[in-house]
Amino acid sequence: MRLFAAVVPPEEVLRELASEVHELSNFPGAGGLRWTGRPGWHFTLAFYSEVDDELVPDLSERLERAAHRTAPFSLAVSGGGQFGRGRTLWAGAEGDLATLRLLADRAEAAARKAGVPMGEHRRYKAHLTVARSRDAVDVRPYVTALAQFTSRTWTVADLALVRSNLPRSGVPGEQPRYEAVARWALGAAG
């Protein structure tokens, strides 16, 4: 299974972001970007890629413990930036970023301890991808507009293990499908 750990914003925050992304998608030149949709909006904490089925139970137990050891925290979608010279446009986060990074570190550690190959550790950068491009694109106008955006603040109350189903139809612009296969409450007695 192609899996990752994530924080998924609540529906009201996704609605606010959808409104902002709709505005961005009307900018001149926006047609050169592939805009992601609400089903794919999440803050990836740790990307596991393909995980052998026999490792999933141990990974799940370790993620559950990581969630229970992490207290709920406040977060908002705010600002934005780019990776890869405009190949990825993202919305950022504000709030208790230290706890978000801690949860990301714990999600990565859970995978390593469960035997999931993780590659090189990278410092966590909170981002939610809103658009992609195969080519370098000048996304400065979008980043400038996102700098003015901040969603309502919510309390992150759970950690999700998400399965990514890649497009198989060959239809241009088709997006991956995501399904939460498990969720664990943060700070729960364990």
Side-chain angles (χ1 to χ4, degrees):
M1 283 192 278
R2 189 174 172 85
L3 298 171
F4 59 90
V7 165
V8 180
E11 188 58 36
E12 61 270 12
V13 171
L14 294 177
R15 274 195 299 274
E16 291 173 15
L17 181 59
S19 178
E20 179 69 13
V21 168
H22 177 74
E23 295 297 320
L24 296 176
S25 70
N26 288 316
F27 280 25
L33 293 167
R34 290 185 329 270
W35 296 90
T36 62
R38 286 165 68 169
W41 288 346
H42 53 264
F43 289 99
T44 300
L45 299 172
F47 181 70
Y48 305 135
S49 192
E50 294 293 333
V51 177
D52 290 335
D53 289 348
E54 65 268 10
L55 297 179
V56 174
D58 189 28
L59 173 61
S60 295
E61 284 178 30
R62 291 176 185 281
L63 286 171
E64 182 176 23
R65 283 197 297 269
H68 291 176
R69 289 181 19 231
T70 308
F73 59 97
S74 296
L75 202 62
V77 178
S78 181
Q82 65 175 312
F83 296 133
R85 296 189 177 139
R87 286 188 171 86
T88 302
L89 175 67
W90 50 265
E94 73 174 30
D96 190 349
L97 298 181
T99 302
L100 182 64
R101 273 192 295 276
L102 174 64
L103 188 57
D105 288 346
R106 287 176 172 167
E108 181 178 320
R112 288 184 191 283
K113 290 175 183 170
V116 177
M118 290 299 293
E120 182 182 334
H121 173 75
R122 294 187 180 154
R123 180 162 167 77
Y124 181 72
K125 173 69 177 169
H127 68 283
L128 185 155
T129 301
V130 295
R132 291 188 176 88
S133 175
R134 292 193 191 282
D135 303 311
V137 174
D138 180 7
V139 294
R140 287 178 293 184
Y142 306 100
V143 173
T144 299
L146 282 168
Q148 307 303 312
F149 174 76
T150 300
S151 75
R152 70 185 69 200
T153 299
W154 82 95
T155 299
V156 176
D158 64 15
L159 165 65
L161 180 61
V162 181
R163 180 177 185 171
S164 172
N165 299 295
L166 297 177
R168 297 193 190 276
S169 71
V171 174
E174 184 183 7
Q175 300 285 333
R177 288 185 344 274
Y178 301 100
E179 70 177 295
V181 294
R183 287 183 182 264
W184 300 279
L186 298 186

